[in-house]
Amino acid sequence: MTRSNPTRTAVAALVAGALLSATACGLGGAGTGDAEEAERTGRVAGEITFRTLQLKPTFTGYVQAVIDAFEKEHPEVEVKWEDVPGDGYNEKLVADAQAGALPDVVNLSTDSFQLLGDRGMLADVAKLDGDSAKEYVPGAWEQFKLPGRGDSVYAYPWYVTPEILTYNRELFERSGLDPAAPPTSVEQFFDYAEQIAARSGGQYSAFMADPKGRLPGDWQKMGVPLLSPQKDRFTFDTDKAVEWVERMKDLYAKGAMPKESLLKSDDINQLYGGGKLVFGPGSPGFVKDIKQNAPQVYAKTQVAGAVTGRLGHIGIYAQSLGIRKDTKHPDAAAEFAKWVTNGPNQVEFSRKATIYPSNAQGLADPFFADRGDGKDAETLARAVGAEQLKTAALDANTPVQWTNQVGDAVVREVQKAITGEQDARTAVKKAEEAANRLLADAART
């Protein structure tokens, strides 16, 4: 099974973004953090810069057409487009911020949004363009608020990917489970995994062991409070989090997870595509990969709504367009960002990549409601994902305080507990201490 499909590579970059740890870098110097926020004048004019993240060459035609149409609609605006590779994206943002050279409109992943938003580099689009909120799916709009900043919103939501559940129907049945009754809570997911381990005889496993892919989503779905009400310290050291770690350790020992996958040394697509794994990644894009690269397993693949837990939350991954706080052309920048993220443009983008519109009008397009005959997993995944985006609470996504560094620190302690190097309670306690040290360090930068 190959993963060299160029479209898939580009989409992976779309979804994953630049997940580098530049969030620890300071942004002193000539940045725009202390700059006065621009105010609209009512005139949509001027030359603006637009930076995207690794969309060329796969989506060159699409993006350029969107730009051309905007310039035709607003002849006094010129858009200069630059596309930047994923590697080093956040570092480049830091360097540009220090030099006072941020683009007027910039594509932000979750990490880069935090990087610039926390440090006051982005315009408040709710203030700049208050009527826009109603145009987006509420959960997506809410993603770009920041703790302690009230109703301010610091980026326009762009494309999103919701969490879904994917599983091998045949292995599900061989494990004595009903494919029509997938798990709906983290606790039930673990119960199913235990039964799979008991019935598989070591021939296949339930899911990957690496905790990074499950945290902090699982904890939030179980009702574990990640942060204090003031969101100024981590508070996940609870009995429920300890229970989660103990359950992972027990399942790992019973063979519910491939041993090597604890350190993420295995490729989940290869394991699932080879019929060695019951649950695949919770991403609609994964279904398309399996269809292309492992058709025999694709024929056995079933999709369902994500495990939501007691709060009914799902996780989403969202890309956004931020506006430079002190842009010289706020009207042009805001109108352009809204143009790129409007319904028709997002629907067309979604037809070219496995992504979903954050725009409510776009998400209502019949393309996302079509379930076909109910048997094709890719078609069904698109419909299931869209339904969840419309109805589910979306705040199970990673909070901005849960940086890559925090996640790595937590996972290191949890991995030690899963292998028995330390007990679960000690692991959770040490993980919270490490996370709070990083949070305090970030506040001082």
Side-chain angles (χ1 to χ4, degrees), residues 4 20 47 84 90 92 141 147 162 171 190 290 310 325 331 398 436:
S4 60
L20 301 174
E47 179 182 295
V84 177
N90 282 358
K92 181 169 177 54
W141 182 255
L171 296 183
F190 284 165
I290 291 299
R310 65 186 63 182
K325 181 180 178 181
D331 296 79
T398 305
N436 278 325

Side-chain angles (χ1 to χ4, degrees), residues 28-298:
T32 56
D34 298 327
E36 187 173 344
E37 186 156 349
E39 294 187 5
R40 298 188 70 158
T41 64
R43 185 181 176 210
V44 182
E47 179 182 295
I48 57 173
T49 50
F50 173 42
R51 178 180 296 171
T52 56
L53 170 59
Q54 202 166 319
L55 296 187
K56 291 183 178 180
T58 306
F59 302 104
T60 298
Y62 166 75
V63 176
Q64 190 59 57
V66 170
I67 292 171
D68 292 345
F70 179 78
E71 290 178 334
K72 185 177 181 180
E73 184 81 10
H74 299 281
E76 293 187 79
V77 180
E78 182 180 352
V79 180
K80 294 183 67 177
W81 175 31
E82 58 181 58
D83 189 69
V84 177
D87 290 343
Y89 190 72
N90 282 358
E91 285 85 345
K92 181 169 177 54
L93 285 177
V94 171
D96 288 344
Q98 289 174 326
L102 279 177
D104 298 286
V105 181
V106 58
N107 183 178
L108 301 170
S109 67
T110 302
D111 271 15
S112 46
F113 166 72
Q114 177 197 351
L115 181 66
L116 300 185
D118 273 359
R119 291 160 175 80
M121 303 290 175
L122 300 174
D124 177 0
V125 301
K127 178 182 175 185
L128 202 64
D129 192 10
D131 292 338
S132 290
K134 63 180 181 297
E135 298 183 17
Y136 299 92
V137 175
W141 182 255
E142 296 290 323
Q143 293 287 311
F144 300 103
K145 291 184 175 179
L146 289 168
R149 308 279 183 90
D151 290 330
S152 294
V153 175
Y154 292 95
Y156 289 89
W158 198 4
Y159 50 89
V160 297
T161 51
E163 177 187 6
I164 62 170
L165 189 70
T166 64
Y167 52 103
N168 184 314
R169 183 176 59 251
E170 182 178 283
L171 296 183
F172 217 67
E173 290 174 329
R174 283 169 58 184
S175 302
L177 298 168
D178 179 3
T184 59
S185 69
V186 174
E187 293 87 345
Q188 190 179 33
F189 182 85
F190 284 165
D191 290 344
Y192 282 22
E194 186 164 352
Q195 184 165 327
I196 289 166
R199 298 286 188 95
S200 73
Q203 294 182 28
Y204 52 90
S205 302
F207 64 99
M208 301 291 275
D210 181 25
K212 193 169 186 176
R214 308 202 64 82
L215 294 178
D218 273 11
W219 284 353
Q220 291 176 97
K221 291 171 181 174
M222 294 172 70
V224 174
L226 289 188
L227 290 158
S228 66
Q230 295 75 29
K231 304 195 183 299
D232 58 353
R233 63 186 176 85
F234 287 103
T235 57
F236 56 76
D237 182 6
T238 63
D239 290 345
K240 205 66 179 174
V242 172
E243 175 188 320
W244 183 93
V245 177
E246 288 176 338
R247 199 74 196 276
M248 285 284 287
K249 177 185 176 182
D250 182 56
L251 290 170
Y252 185 71
K254 290 177 176 175
M257 302 166 251
K259 295 294 183 187
E260 299 77 10
S261 68
L262 182 61
L263 300 176
K264 213 175 179 179
S265 58
D266 288 341
D267 185 330
I268 188 169
N269 287 40
Q270 289 186 344
L271 282 172
Y272 184 89
K276 299 294 184 184
L277 208 62
V278 173
F279 292 105
S283 161
F286 164 75
V287 179
K288 187 173 185 178
D289 275 354
I290 291 299
K291 185 176 185 178
Q292 292 176 339
N293 301 318
Q296 290 183 328
V297 172
Y298 175 77

Side-chain angles (χ1 to χ4, degrees), residues 216 219 226-227 231-237 400-413 427-444:
W219 284 353
L226 289 188
L227 290 158
K231 304 195 183 299
D232 58 353
R233 63 186 176 85
F234 287 103
T235 57
F236 56 76
D237 182 6
V400 294
Q401 293 88 347
W402 191 282
T403 62
N404 284 343
Q405 289 175 306
V406 168
D408 289 345
V410 172
V411 164
R412 276 196 295 272
E413 298 301 333
V428 174
K429 182 175 185 295
K430 290 173 71 174
E432 184 182 283
E433 290 172 350
N436 278 325
R437 282 196 297 273
L438 289 166
L439 191 62
D441 289 345
R444 286 193 289 269

